Amino acid sequence: MCYRSAALTALVLATSSALIGSSAGAAPAAPTSTGIDVNCEGIGADTVTLTGDLARGGTAEIERGPLTVVGRPGFTGEDASGHQVDVAPTGDGALCTADEETTASAIAKVLPATQAAKAPSSGRVTGQLTFTVEVDTSAAVAPQAAAQGDTMTTAAALPFESELRSYLNSRPGAVGVAVRRPGTGKSWTYTKVSSRNVTASIVKVQIMSAVMMKAQSEGRALSSWEKSKISPMIRNSDNDATTALFNHIGGRRAIDSTADRLGMTSTVADPYNHWGLTSTTAADQARLMEHYARPSSVLSATNRMYGLSLMRQINSSQDWGVTAGPPAGKVALKNGWLPRTDGWHVNSIGWVNAGYPDYTIAVLTHDNPGAMSTEVATIEGVSRIVWKNRAKLGGSTTPTPTTRGKRGDVDADGKADLMGMSATGRIYRMKGSGTDFGAKKVVKSGFSDATWLGTAGDVNKDKRSDVLVRRGDGRLQLMLTTSSGALGTPKTIATGWGSYTDIAAGGDVDRNGKLDVLNRKVGGAVDHYEMSDSGSLKRIRTMGKPAVYYQNIMLVADVNGDGRDDLRGVAAGGRMRTWTSTGTAWKQASATSTGWSAYRTVLSPGDINVSSSKQDDIVAVWPSGRGRMHYGTKGGGQGTSYRNISEGLGSLTYVW
């Protein structure tokens, strides 16, 4: 039932008149009841039924489900003079606020006398009623899926379980911990008493995912209205925005359907339609975060990156939990907290991406009658233990090669493609077949001022190589490749790059799982920059002067098997050389080859023929526009055989 602003005033006056006007000995009129819609922090929407006059002993209750109104009601608003009127409701529990305003001639007409006396007002008041509700733990529904656990992969014991157990045995309450290595299928769990919990506000990540999936199924981007609600829901944990989106996606049915699609086999919506009382496990929440940490079959790359950007900009007052341990700014995060009859339920989920290995983590806590701060401290202790022991999560110290798509592979088929630009500023893509390249296809225009173009590598981990361009004014811009093969809107990631004689990108030279960008200064010095998954650029170090005589530089796939990508250079006189990266400097790797001055362009777009050596190949373009492909060999050299390729390169002024 929708509550209108005059409803409470009418209720107050009608009830008072009935009591005053009743004749001696006559029974008073039955008190009137009405419903008021409220939104409860960390829980969701419900309806409080008011019976009688609250100022004269009337009652307020929620008729169904696990919520019970406790204590005396409060009020927030202002009086006729414009002064703020704030009376906090009494009782322990979650705060619920009326959706719409009520107006009365005085605060004493709204609240019981003991409450009204806390906020003397000047005449008429306008504002919203507030209530405290208790959440009954015994009313929680244990879903059938609870016993199934993690059905997609078998969760193992954490390799540092004894340390974690010792720590948690010293802490109060129940705790569920889950850790996943994204993209590997490896997961670990630890449970003290129970891993199942109500979500509180961590469900907002699932709701955001459901909104994204709804937009994708309708063949559109997120609307401005959806974004206007998603941003405060994630960054500030705004409950009104959450309820609006929860209703937008279809309520509890959407929670259950998206849980199925996201592989959250033990997550079940609250039967009374409270989003914050969704039942879940730590394993499911760590799996949910993996959909943002790696390319997802149900979330587009654009939506994933948008969600990550919000989870990396959480309000500072809510930046706690699984951010403890890792460096600042390296965790995509969402927290949730809710008081219940068994104490505080506090949860924290996130993706820690601060070098190798990255991991998703969920820590769910409850059954602690103490302060919320106690549960927060427990979560942060767990987070520090996981961070300290992250190297024990298995695997080699070399990042998994399938973490990103292959360098130069624009259409995610595993073969490097060729790209080029015409004199008019049109960018073309030529699909690689493994032995040749297809016809030119326009993917972007408007770059006649470009002074350098090249692959960025797979920045957003959607298996498609993205593109960097330097504009005439020195701006370095990033364009993400879309699922259709087009290039997205250019995003400026650096300025002042006009003086560099060449740029190389698309590889990882220090084996930390991040893509790198190199620039060559006049004189041959090479600077190393690191690119985040969202495209931001940070200078790391100077890496010496390997390319003093080599004006044209390019990054190539690891040539010596140490997990670091390496550097290839071509001098004006036609010599070619390869250097291997030590992570901080360069070592010469191969003898020079000569004769490359006969070509107008020499480039290494990637592994064209998908050879067993997994080496980047070389494409050389004659002045006439004819192309020739030389196969790369281990150690950074090239084979003696070659293959003539497409004749259609003559119209392109730039090829990469």
Side-chain angles (χ1 to χ4, degrees), residues 522-547:
V522 175
V526 173
D527 277 356
H528 169 202
Y529 286 75
E530 181 179 277
M531 187 184 300
S532 73
D533 295 347
S534 60
S536 61
L537 209 59
K538 178 176 70 173
R539 186 181 183 277
I540 302 300
R541 61 176 62 88
T542 294
M543 293 187 70
K545 296 184 177 181

Side-chain angles (χ1 to χ4, degrees), residues 48-83:
V48 173
T49 299
L50 303 178
T51 304
D53 180 358
L54 290 176
R56 292 173 171 80
T59 62
E61 62 179 358
I62 293 176
E63 297 180 345
R64 299 189 317 121
L67 306 186
T68 302
V69 179
V70 294
R72 294 185 294 272
F75 183 86
T76 179
E78 61 181 35
D79 63 17
S81 301
H83 298 135

Side-chain angles (χ1 to χ4, degrees), residues 4-307:
R4 288 164 170 66
S5 61
L8 182 59
T9 301
L11 174 60
V12 169
L13 296 177
T15 305
S16 299
S17 298
L19 291 171
I20 295 170
S22 58
S23 60
T32 306
S33 295
T34 190
I36 175 172
D37 294 334
V38 297
N39 204 18
C40 303
E41 292 183 353
I43 298 171
D46 212 318
T47 300
V48 173
T49 299
L50 303 178
T51 304
D53 180 358
L54 290 176
R56 292 173 171 80
T59 62
E61 62 179 358
I62 293 176
E63 297 180 345
R64 299 189 317 121
L67 306 186
T68 302
V69 179
V70 294
R72 294 185 294 272
F75 183 86
T76 179
E78 61 181 35
D79 63 17
S81 301
H83 298 135
Q84 189 67 25
V85 179
D86 281 314
V87 182
T90 63
D92 294 327
L95 177 68
C96 299
T97 304
D99 285 353
E100 297 189 35
E101 291 186 337
T102 183
T103 300
S105 59
I107 190 67
K109 296 289 187 179
V110 179
L111 297 177
T114 53
Q115 289 289 84
K118 296 177 181 178
S121 62
S122 175
R124 190 179 185 86
V125 293
T126 300
Q128 295 164 295
L129 280 165
T130 58
F131 304 89
T132 299
V133 297
E134 186 179 72
V135 188
D136 185 3
T137 309
S138 65
V141 177
Q144 294 180 353
Q148 296 176 2
D150 189 347
T151 59
M152 294 182 67
T153 56
T154 301
L158 282 159
F160 42 89
E161 181 177 302
S162 59
E163 180 180 357
L164 188 63
R165 180 190 304 111
S166 176
Y167 170 72
L168 290 178
N169 282 344
S170 69
R171 306 293 299 176
V175 184
V177 180
V179 179
R180 294 182 69 87
R181 283 264 312 277
T184 68
K186 294 182 178 180
S187 62
W188 301 264
T189 61
Y190 179 80
T191 300
K192 177 191 175 186
V193 183
S194 172
S195 180
R196 175 161 294 281
N197 203 359
V198 294
T199 56
S201 287
I202 60 171
V203 77
K204 293 169 182 178
V205 178
Q206 187 180 348
I207 292 173
M208 173 173 67
S209 306
V211 176
M212 292 172 173
M213 293 156 68
K214 173 180 170 64
Q216 290 168 190
S217 68
E218 295 171 359
R220 59 175 177 82
L222 291 171
S223 69
S224 58
W225 179 86
E226 288 168 333
K227 285 188 173 183
S228 74
K229 301 299 182 184
I230 291 174
S231 180
M233 175 180 72
I234 297 298
R235 296 188 61 204
N236 303 321
S237 210
D238 187 281
N239 295 297
D240 290 337
T242 306
T243 296
L245 290 172
F246 182 68
N247 294 333
H248 174 61
I249 61 176
R252 63 182 299 268
R253 293 181 184 275
I255 293 293
D256 287 337
S257 63
T258 56
D260 289 342
R261 293 185 61 190
L262 293 165
M264 301 168 68
T265 57
S266 298
T267 298
V268 179
D270 172 53
Y272 297 103
N273 223 35
H274 303 110
W275 44 259
L277 300 186
T278 300
S279 177
T280 193
T281 62
D284 270 10
Q285 294 301 313
R287 187 191 303 283
L288 170 62
M289 290 303 301
E290 185 172 6
H291 285 279
Y292 288 89
R294 290 293 186 275
S296 168
S297 60
V298 293
L299 298 178
S300 72
T302 299
N303 284 336
R304 283 179 49 244
M305 298 311 295
Y306 175 64

Side-chain angles (χ1 to χ4, degrees), residues 501-651:
T501 58
D502 204 8
I503 299 171
D508 176 10
V509 301
D510 54 1
R511 202 175 61 182
N512 70 346
K514 302 282 183 135
L515 289 171
D516 299 313
V517 180
L518 308 179
N519 59 48
R520 181 189 186 278
K521 299 178 179 179
V522 175
V526 173
D527 277 356
H528 169 202
Y529 286 75
E530 181 179 277
M531 187 184 300
S532 73
D533 295 347
S534 60
S536 61
L537 209 59
K538 178 176 70 173
R539 186 181 183 277
I540 302 300
R541 61 176 62 88
T542 294
M543 293 187 70
K545 296 184 177 181
V548 173
Y549 305 108
Y550 296 80
Q551 292 83 359
N552 181 20
I553 61 172
M554 59 201 87
L555 281 179
V556 293
D558 174 24
V559 302
N560 62 342
D562 68 353
R564 303 180 183 94
D565 290 326
D566 301 310
L567 184 69
R568 181 171 288 157
V570 180
R575 288 182 301 168
M576 180 185 291
R577 186 186 296 277
T578 302
W579 297 266
T580 58
S581 171
T582 66
T584 58
W586 305 96
K587 293 175 60 177
Q588 182 178 322
S590 66
T592 58
S593 58
T594 59
W596 298 99
S597 58
Y599 303 99
R600 66 175 171 88
T601 301
V602 179
L603 60 142
S604 290
D607 185 5
I608 300 169
N609 63 340
V610 196
S611 62
S612 59
S613 66
K614 298 181 180 179
Q615 298 297 299
D616 283 357
D617 302 313
I618 301 167
V619 170
V621 183
W622 297 91
S624 65
R626 291 187 297 114
R628 175 174 287 181
M629 180 174 69
H630 298 261
Y631 298 115
T633 61
K634 289 184 177 180
Q638 68 280 341
T640 56
S641 61
Y642 60 85
R643 182 181 184 88
N644 291 324
I645 57 174
S646 301
E647 303 291 322
L649 303 178
S651 63

